[in-house]
Amino acid sequence: LTITEPAVLSAHINSTNVTCFGANNGIITITSPTGGYGTYEYSKDGGIIWQASGTFAGLAPASYSVAIRDKAHTGCVIIFNPAITITAPAVLSATVSSSNVTCFGANNGTMTISNPLGGYGTYSYTINGGATWQSSGSFTNLAPNSYNVRIRDAANIACEIALNPALVITQPAVLSAT
C-alpha cells in the first residue's frame, strides 16, 4: 500500500498600490493556484476570513497576511511570507505664486505652480478647475479673474487637489485725471 500526499500549495501574488493619498483602492490578486486537491480558498488576514475568489479589492494602505488553503482539506494552509504591503503616495502639494495685471484692461497677470510634491512624481496643472490641464506650472497673459488652481498626479489623473479654488488676479483702477 502506497500512501501519497498532494503537492504543496502555491500561487502567484500580484498587488496594486493605492493610487491617491486617502484612497482605498489597492488590490491583491492571487492567481494560478496549484497543489492540494484542486479547489482553493483565499484570505488576506492570515486565515481568519476565507473567500472563494483570489481577488481582494478596495484595500487601504496596510500590510496583508495573504494565505491559500485547500478547500477539500481546510487544515492545509500556506501563509505567504513576507506579508504583502499596499502603499499610498504622499498627499499632493505645491506652491502657488501670482502677479496681478499691471494696467487696467491689460491681460498680463501670471501664475506659477512650483515645488510639486506627493503622488507618483509627475504632475499636471490647471487654473480653470480642470477644464484643461498642462504639464507646465507656468501660466501667463492672464486677465483679471478668479482662478481655480489645481494639481493632479499625471500617473493617476483622478488624483487631484485644489491648491487654491479661488485665486484672484486683480487689476488697478482705470487711470483718470481732471
Side-chain angles (χ1 to χ4, degrees), residues 141-166:
N141 302 318
L142 301 178
N145 205 342
S146 177
Y147 294 90
N148 185 341
V149 183
R150 297 177 166 271
I151 183 175
R152 75 178 177 189
D153 187 334
N156 296 289
I157 62 173
C159 184
E160 72 177 67
I161 64 161
L163 297 169
N164 187 334

PDB file of all heavy atoms in Angstrom, residues 141-166:
ATOM      1  N   ASN A 141      -0.203  85.774 -19.375  1.00  0.00           N
ATOM      2  CA  ASN A 141      -1.231  86.511 -20.113  1.00  0.00           C
ATOM      3  C   ASN A 141      -2.618  86.316 -19.515  1.00  0.00           C
ATOM      4  O   ASN A 141      -3.597  86.136 -20.235  1.00  0.00           O
ATOM      5  CB  ASN A 141      -1.222  86.134 -21.601  1.00  0.00           C
ATOM      6  CG  ASN A 141       0.124  86.407 -22.245  1.00  0.00           C
ATOM      7  OD1 ASN A 141       0.741  87.441 -21.974  1.00  0.00           O
ATOM      8  ND2 ASN A 141       0.590  85.483 -23.062  1.00  0.00           N
ATOM      9  N   LEU A 142      -2.693  86.376 -18.202  1.00  0.00           N
ATOM     10  CA  LEU A 142      -3.964  86.166 -17.517  1.00  0.00           C
ATOM     11  C   LEU A 142      -4.720  87.477 -17.342  1.00  0.00           C
ATOM     12  O   LEU A 142      -4.139  88.511 -17.002  1.00  0.00           O
ATOM     13  CB  LEU A 142      -3.730  85.525 -16.147  1.00  0.00           C
ATOM     14  CG  LEU A 142      -3.018  84.168 -16.156  1.00  0.00           C
ATOM     15  CD1 LEU A 142      -2.800  83.676 -14.732  1.00  0.00           C
ATOM     16  CD2 LEU A 142      -3.791  83.150 -16.973  1.00  0.00           C
ATOM     17  N   ALA A 143      -6.011  87.420 -17.551  1.00  0.00           N
ATOM     18  CA  ALA A 143      -6.898  88.560 -17.341  1.00  0.00           C
ATOM     19  C   ALA A 143      -7.314  88.612 -15.875  1.00  0.00           C
ATOM     20  O   ALA A 143      -7.222  87.607 -15.158  1.00  0.00           O
ATOM     21  CB  ALA A 143      -8.122  88.411 -18.227  1.00  0.00           C
ATOM     22  N   PRO A 144      -7.791  89.757 -15.413  1.00  0.00           N
ATOM     23  CA  PRO A 144      -8.322  89.817 -14.051  1.00  0.00           C
ATOM     24  C   PRO A 144      -9.492  88.843 -13.928  1.00  0.00           C
ATOM     25  O   PRO A 144     -10.405  88.855 -14.745  1.00  0.00           O
ATOM     26  CB  PRO A 144      -8.804  91.266 -13.915  1.00  0.00           C
ATOM     27  CG  PRO A 144      -8.135  92.019 -15.012  1.00  0.00           C
ATOM     28  CD  PRO A 144      -7.867  91.039 -16.109  1.00  0.00           C
ATOM     29  N   ASN A 145      -9.422  87.991 -12.931  1.00  0.00           N
ATOM     30  CA  ASN A 145     -10.449  86.974 -12.781  1.00  0.00           C
ATOM     31  C   ASN A 145     -10.155  86.167 -11.526  1.00  0.00           C
ATOM     32  O   ASN A 145      -9.101  86.315 -10.906  1.00  0.00           O
ATOM     33  CB  ASN A 145     -10.475  86.044 -14.007  1.00  0.00           C
ATOM     34  CG  ASN A 145     -11.831  85.395 -14.223  1.00  0.00           C
ATOM     35  OD1 ASN A 145     -12.664  85.353 -13.328  1.00  0.00           O
ATOM     36  ND2 ASN A 145     -12.052  84.895 -15.428  1.00  0.00           N
ATOM     37  N   SER A 146     -11.061  85.260 -11.174  1.00  0.00           N
ATOM     38  CA  SER A 146     -10.836  84.290 -10.113  1.00  0.00           C
ATOM     39  C   SER A 146     -10.483  82.964 -10.778  1.00  0.00           C
ATOM     40  O   SER A 146     -11.178  82.524 -11.696  1.00  0.00           O
ATOM     41  CB  SER A 146     -12.105  84.141  -9.270  1.00  0.00           C
ATOM     42  OG  SER A 146     -11.910  83.155  -8.286  1.00  0.00           O
ATOM     43  N   TYR A 147      -9.423  82.324 -10.308  1.00  0.00           N
ATOM     44  CA  TYR A 147      -8.920  81.100 -10.929  1.00  0.00           C
ATOM     45  C   TYR A 147      -8.962  79.947  -9.926  1.00  0.00           C
ATOM     46  O   TYR A 147      -8.595  80.103  -8.768  1.00  0.00           O
ATOM     47  CB  TYR A 147      -7.490  81.297 -11.434  1.00  0.00           C
ATOM     48  CG  TYR A 147      -7.420  82.292 -12.573  1.00  0.00           C
ATOM     49  CD1 TYR A 147      -7.233  83.647 -12.326  1.00  0.00           C
ATOM     50  CD2 TYR A 147      -7.563  81.869 -13.887  1.00  0.00           C
ATOM     51  CE1 TYR A 147      -7.177  84.563 -13.376  1.00  0.00           C
ATOM     52  CE2 TYR A 147      -7.513  82.780 -14.942  1.00  0.00           C
ATOM     53  CZ  TYR A 147      -7.324  84.117 -14.669  1.00  0.00           C
ATOM     54  OH  TYR A 147      -7.277  85.022 -15.711  1.00  0.00           O
ATOM     55  N   ASN A 148      -9.402  78.780 -10.409  1.00  0.00           N
ATOM     56  CA  ASN A 148      -9.457  77.554  -9.614  1.00  0.00           C
ATOM     57  C   ASN A 148      -8.192  76.758  -9.924  1.00  0.00           C
ATOM     58  O   ASN A 148      -8.105  76.057 -10.929  1.00  0.00           O
ATOM     59  CB  ASN A 148     -10.718  76.763  -9.975  1.00  0.00           C
ATOM     60  CG  ASN A 148     -10.911  75.536  -9.110  1.00  0.00           C
ATOM     61  OD1 ASN A 148      -9.985  75.052  -8.473  1.00  0.00           O
ATOM     62  ND2 ASN A 148     -12.118  75.012  -9.109  1.00  0.00           N
ATOM     63  N   VAL A 149      -7.200  76.863  -9.048  1.00  0.00           N
ATOM     64  CA  VAL A 149      -5.863  76.310  -9.264  1.00  0.00           C
ATOM     65  C   VAL A 149      -5.781  74.910  -8.675  1.00  0.00           C
ATOM     66  O   VAL A 149      -6.040  74.713  -7.483  1.00  0.00           O
ATOM     67  CB  VAL A 149      -4.790  77.223  -8.638  1.00  0.00           C
ATOM     68  CG1 VAL A 149      -3.399  76.699  -8.924  1.00  0.00           C
ATOM     69  CG2 VAL A 149      -4.957  78.662  -9.119  1.00  0.00           C
ATOM     70  N   ARG A 150      -5.401  73.934  -9.522  1.00  0.00           N
ATOM     71  CA  ARG A 150      -5.351  72.533  -9.095  1.00  0.00           C
ATOM     72  C   ARG A 150      -4.093  71.848  -9.614  1.00  0.00           C
ATOM     73  O   ARG A 150      -3.522  72.253 -10.619  1.00  0.00           O
ATOM     74  CB  ARG A 150      -6.573  71.774  -9.609  1.00  0.00           C
ATOM     75  CG  ARG A 150      -7.873  72.281  -9.054  1.00  0.00           C
ATOM     76  CD  ARG A 150      -9.090  71.552  -9.640  1.00  0.00           C
ATOM     77  NE  ARG A 150     -10.255  71.849  -8.839  1.00  0.00           N
ATOM     78  CZ  ARG A 150     -10.637  71.154  -7.771  1.00  0.00           C
ATOM     79  NH1 ARG A 150      -9.972  70.103  -7.396  1.00  0.00           N
ATOM     80  NH2 ARG A 150     -11.701  71.518  -7.084  1.00  0.00           N
ATOM     81  N   ILE A 151      -3.729  70.775  -8.925  1.00  0.00           N
ATOM     82  CA  ILE A 151      -2.639  69.893  -9.340  1.00  0.00           C
ATOM     83  C   ILE A 151      -3.196  68.479  -9.366  1.00  0.00           C
ATOM     84  O   ILE A 151      -4.059  68.135  -8.554  1.00  0.00           O
ATOM     85  CB  ILE A 151      -1.421  70.000  -8.386  1.00  0.00           C
ATOM     86  CG1 ILE A 151      -0.253  69.121  -8.856  1.00  0.00           C
ATOM     87  CG2 ILE A 151      -1.815  69.654  -6.962  1.00  0.00           C
ATOM     88  CD1 ILE A 151       1.023  69.293  -8.018  1.00  0.00           C
ATOM     89  N   ARG A 152      -2.711  67.663 -10.305  1.00  0.00           N
ATOM     90  CA  ARG A 152      -3.087  66.248 -10.305  1.00  0.00           C
ATOM     91  C   ARG A 152      -1.852  65.409 -10.592  1.00  0.00           C
ATOM     92  O   ARG A 152      -0.873  65.874 -11.171  1.00  0.00           O
ATOM     93  CB  ARG A 152      -4.202  65.949 -11.291  1.00  0.00           C
ATOM     94  CG  ARG A 152      -3.803  65.913 -12.747  1.00  0.00           C
ATOM     95  CD  ARG A 152      -4.985  65.566 -13.629  1.00  0.00           C
ATOM     96  NE  ARG A 152      -4.603  65.600 -15.035  1.00  0.00           N
ATOM     97  CZ  ARG A 152      -5.456  65.514 -16.032  1.00  0.00           C
ATOM     98  NH1 ARG A 152      -6.740  65.384 -15.806  1.00  0.00           N
ATOM     99  NH2 ARG A 152      -5.038  65.541 -17.278  1.00  0.00           N
ATOM    100  N   ASP A 153      -1.939  64.168 -10.171  1.00  0.00           N
ATOM    101  CA  ASP A 153      -0.892  63.174 -10.417  1.00  0.00           C
ATOM    102  C   ASP A 153      -1.043  62.715 -11.864  1.00  0.00           C
ATOM    103  O   ASP A 153      -2.073  62.145 -12.232  1.00  0.00           O
ATOM    104  CB  ASP A 153      -1.078  62.016  -9.448  1.00  0.00           C
ATOM    105  CG  ASP A 153       0.040  61.000  -9.492  1.00  0.00           C
ATOM    106  OD1 ASP A 153       0.706  60.863 -10.535  1.00  0.00           O
ATOM    107  OD2 ASP A 153       0.250  60.332  -8.472  1.00  0.00           O
ATOM    108  N   ALA A 154      -0.046  62.975 -12.691  1.00  0.00           N
ATOM    109  CA  ALA A 154      -0.143  62.609 -14.105  1.00  0.00           C
ATOM    110  C   ALA A 154      -0.235  61.095 -14.299  1.00  0.00           C
ATOM    111  O   ALA A 154      -0.784  60.628 -15.289  1.00  0.00           O
ATOM    112  CB  ALA A 154       1.039  63.177 -14.884  1.00  0.00           C
ATOM    113  N   ALA A 155       0.257  60.320 -13.329  1.00  0.00           N
ATOM    114  CA  ALA A 155       0.180  58.857 -13.439  1.00  0.00           C
ATOM    115  C   ALA A 155      -1.193  58.332 -13.023  1.00  0.00           C
ATOM    116  O   ALA A 155      -1.574  57.228 -13.406  1.00  0.00           O
ATOM    117  CB  ALA A 155       1.264  58.222 -12.573  1.00  0.00           C
ATOM    118  N   ASN A 156      -1.929  59.098 -12.239  1.00  0.00           N
ATOM    119  CA  ASN A 156      -3.267  58.716 -11.759  1.00  0.00           C
ATOM    120  C   ASN A 156      -4.142  59.959 -11.803  1.00  0.00           C
ATOM    121  O   ASN A 156      -4.325  60.636 -10.791  1.00  0.00           O
ATOM    122  CB  ASN A 156      -3.190  58.164 -10.330  1.00  0.00           C
ATOM    123  CG  ASN A 156      -2.385  56.903 -10.264  1.00  0.00           C
ATOM    124  OD1 ASN A 156      -2.834  55.868 -10.737  1.00  0.00           O
ATOM    125  ND2 ASN A 156      -1.203  56.972  -9.695  1.00  0.00           N
ATOM    126  N   ILE A 157      -4.690  60.254 -12.976  1.00  0.00           N
ATOM    127  CA  ILE A 157      -5.319  61.551 -13.194  1.00  0.00           C
ATOM    128  C   ILE A 157      -6.562  61.801 -12.344  1.00  0.00           C
ATOM    129  O   ILE A 157      -6.986  62.942 -12.213  1.00  0.00           O
ATOM    130  CB  ILE A 157      -5.623  61.777 -14.693  1.00  0.00           C
ATOM    131  CG1 ILE A 157      -6.598  60.744 -15.239  1.00  0.00           C
ATOM    132  CG2 ILE A 157      -4.334  61.835 -15.489  1.00  0.00           C
ATOM    133  CD1 ILE A 157      -7.055  61.014 -16.647  1.00  0.00           C
ATOM    134  N   ALA A 158      -7.125  60.786 -11.750  1.00  0.00           N
ATOM    135  CA  ALA A 158      -8.259  61.013 -10.850  1.00  0.00           C
ATOM    136  C   ALA A 158      -7.790  61.580  -9.515  1.00  0.00           C
ATOM    137  O   ALA A 158      -8.595  62.066  -8.722  1.00  0.00           O
ATOM    138  CB  ALA A 158      -9.036  59.722 -10.630  1.00  0.00           C
ATOM    139  N   CYS A 159      -6.505  61.529  -9.266  1.00  0.00           N
ATOM    140  CA  CYS A 159      -5.938  62.036  -8.014  1.00  0.00           C
ATOM    141  C   CYS A 159      -5.570  63.506  -8.216  1.00  0.00           C
ATOM    142  O   CYS A 159      -4.548  63.815  -8.821  1.00  0.00           O
ATOM    143  CB  CYS A 159      -4.719  61.213  -7.634  1.00  0.00           C
ATOM    144  SG  CYS A 159      -4.021  61.673  -6.045  1.00  0.00           S
ATOM    145  N   GLU A 160      -6.417  64.382  -7.725  1.00  0.00           N
ATOM    146  CA  GLU A 160      -6.161  65.818  -7.858  1.00  0.00           C
ATOM    147  C   GLU A 160      -6.603  66.530  -6.596  1.00  0.00           C
ATOM    148  O   GLU A 160      -7.446  66.030  -5.854  1.00  0.00           O
ATOM    149  CB  GLU A 160      -6.864  66.404  -9.071  1.00  0.00           C
ATOM    150  CG  GLU A 160      -8.359  66.522  -8.949  1.00  0.00           C
ATOM    151  CD  GLU A 160      -8.996  67.189 -10.157  1.00  0.00           C
ATOM    152  OE1 GLU A 160      -8.963  66.599 -11.243  1.00  0.00           O
ATOM    153  OE2 GLU A 160      -9.534  68.296  -9.984  1.00  0.00           O
ATOM    154  N   ILE A 161      -5.992  67.693  -6.342  1.00  0.00           N
ATOM    155  CA  ILE A 161      -6.412  68.517  -5.218  1.00  0.00           C
ATOM    156  C   ILE A 161      -6.445  69.972  -5.656  1.00  0.00           C
ATOM    157  O   ILE A 161      -5.742  70.378  -6.582  1.00  0.00           O
ATOM    158  CB  ILE A 161      -5.496  68.364  -3.980  1.00  0.00           C
ATOM    159  CG1 ILE A 161      -4.079  68.847  -4.281  1.00  0.00           C
ATOM    160  CG2 ILE A 161      -5.466  66.953  -3.461  1.00  0.00           C
ATOM    161  CD1 ILE A 161      -3.284  69.152  -3.038  1.00  0.00           C
ATOM    162  N   ALA A 162      -7.266  70.741  -4.983  1.00  0.00           N
ATOM    163  CA  ALA A 162      -7.321  72.181  -5.207  1.00  0.00           C
ATOM    164  C   ALA A 162      -6.223  72.828  -4.375  1.00  0.00           C
ATOM    165  O   ALA A 162      -6.164  72.642  -3.163  1.00  0.00           O
ATOM    166  CB  ALA A 162      -8.679  72.725  -4.826  1.00  0.00           C
ATOM    167  N   LEU A 163      -5.333  73.555  -5.039  1.00  0.00           N
ATOM    168  CA  LEU A 163      -4.306  74.308  -4.323  1.00  0.00           C
ATOM    169  C   LEU A 163      -4.875  75.636  -3.838  1.00  0.00           C
ATOM    170  O   LEU A 163      -4.531  76.120  -2.770  1.00  0.00           O
ATOM    171  CB  LEU A 163      -3.097  74.545  -5.230  1.00  0.00           C
ATOM    172  CG  LEU A 163      -2.373  73.280  -5.684  1.00  0.00           C
ATOM    173  CD1 LEU A 163      -1.368  73.588  -6.781  1.00  0.00           C
ATOM    174  CD2 LEU A 163      -1.694  72.607  -4.501  1.00  0.00           C
ATOM    175  N   ASN A 164      -5.729  76.234  -4.657  1.00  0.00           N
ATOM    176  CA  ASN A 164      -6.447  77.457  -4.307  1.00  0.00           C
ATOM    177  C   ASN A 164      -7.667  77.526  -5.217  1.00  0.00           C
ATOM    178  O   ASN A 164      -7.540  77.818  -6.396  1.00  0.00           O
ATOM    179  CB  ASN A 164      -5.568  78.692  -4.475  1.00  0.00           C
ATOM    180  CG  ASN A 164      -6.227  79.959  -3.964  1.00  0.00           C
ATOM    181  OD1 ASN A 164      -7.448  80.068  -3.927  1.00  0.00           O
ATOM    182  ND2 ASN A 164      -5.414  80.926  -3.567  1.00  0.00           N
ATOM    183  N   PRO A 165      -8.846  77.255  -4.709  1.00  0.00           N
ATOM    184  CA  PRO A 165     -10.022  77.210  -5.573  1.00  0.00           C
ATOM    185  C   PRO A 165     -10.526  78.584  -6.023  1.00  0.00           C
ATOM    186  O   PRO A 165     -11.397  78.670  -6.879  1.00  0.00           O
ATOM    187  CB  PRO A 165     -11.074  76.515  -4.716  1.00  0.00           C
ATOM    188  CG  PRO A 165     -10.631  76.774  -3.316  1.00  0.00           C
ATOM    189  CD  PRO A 165      -9.138  76.851  -3.350  1.00  0.00           C
ATOM    190  N   ALA A 166      -9.961  79.657  -5.461  1.00  0.00           N
ATOM    191  CA  ALA A 166     -10.431  80.994  -5.831  1.00  0.00           C
ATOM    192  C   ALA A 166      -9.286  82.009  -5.743  1.00  0.00           C
ATOM    193  O   ALA A 166      -9.367  83.003  -5.025  1.00  0.00           O
ATOM    194  CB  ALA A 166     -11.588  81.412  -4.939  1.00  0.00           C
TER     195      ALA A 166
END
